[in-house]
Amino acid sequence: MSLLTRLLARGTVVLANSATKLQSLQMRLTAGEVNDDMEHFEPYGFTSNPLAGAEGIATFLGGDRSHAVVLVVADRRYRLKALAPGEVAIYTDEGDKVHFKRGRIIDIETTTLNIRASAAVNIDTPTLTQTGKIVSQGDQIAGGISQIKHVHPGVQPGNGQTAAPAGGQ
């Protein structure tokens, strides 16, 4: 086997270990060879836990089959198709996606979207449109006025203030 043919191999993921700082993969390579603990280098800021059957390209540094590095893993079973030139997407096998479309549009498709922030979520836009119900477990402040704790001055009967806001309809 020449040095060049020992440098690269194509294979499928058997198992992924994403619990370590640098993910390791067990891969079944082209000649039926199974290689354990192959280092999986991922681009900075992106990570995934590939499913068994995903495909990868591995390199063997210096042609040494005992020192394998997986350069890229793809999964054609779930890859989004028909993106326009220049578009980018992140996707899962369950059909979730974040799609950066032409025209500076971000399309997110999922069943439930949870946003967690330790201090605040700020939306700076001239118009905000939504459909469906807004469900809240706490108070909302609009124009500096609390929805739950606001009072109505100028009411004649009693002490001049209304009771707590009435229940929802």
Side-chain angles (χ1 to χ4, degrees):
M1 190 185 288
S2 74
L3 177 61
L4 242 133
T5 57
R6 290 191 323 245
L7 284 178
L8 293 174
R10 182 180 183 143
T12 57
V13 174
V14 176
L15 184 66
N17 177 3
S18 65
T20 56
K21 285 189 176 188
L22 187 61
Q23 186 177 75
S24 64
L25 302 176
Q26 181 184 63
M27 301 277 294
R28 180 170 288 111
L29 304 175
T30 45
E33 169 187 3
V34 175
N35 198 318
D36 295 323
D37 295 323
M38 298 174 77
E39 295 176 314
H40 179 204
F41 278 77
E42 298 174 293
Y44 171 77
F46 293 89
T47 190
S48 66
N49 188 340
L51 296 169
E55 300 168 83
I57 300 293
T59 187
F60 302 91
L61 304 177
D64 179 1
R65 299 297 273 199
S66 68
H67 190 172
V69 174
V70 180
L71 301 175
V72 66
V73 174
D75 202 324
R76 66 178 77 206
R77 299 171 295 183
Y78 308 107
R79 185 184 162 276
L80 298 177
K81 298 165 194 71
L83 271 63
E87 291 186 342
V88 176
I90 303 168
Y91 60 92
T92 70
D93 64 305
E94 294 181 316
D96 301 319
K97 72 175 182 179
V98 178
H99 184 178
F100 294 84
K101 294 182 168 187
R102 302 308 297 167
R104 302 181 78 176
I105 295 169
I106 301 173
D107 183 22
I108 300 173
E109 284 188 35
T110 187
T111 303
T112 302
L113 177 64
N114 295 313
I115 299 173
R116 298 187 201 313
S118 61
V121 173
N122 300 303
I123 300 172
D124 183 0
T125 181
T127 304
L128 180 63
T129 304
Q130 72 91 44
T131 60
K133 293 181 181 178
I134 296 176
V135 179
S136 172
Q137 300 300 315
D139 196 4
Q140 296 84 45
I141 309 295
I145 299 171
S146 163
Q147 178 189 10
I148 294 174
K149 299 176 183 174
H150 72 278
V151 294
H152 296 267
V155 175
Q156 297 301 316
N159 65 7
Q161 295 184 350
T162 64
Q169 298 182 8

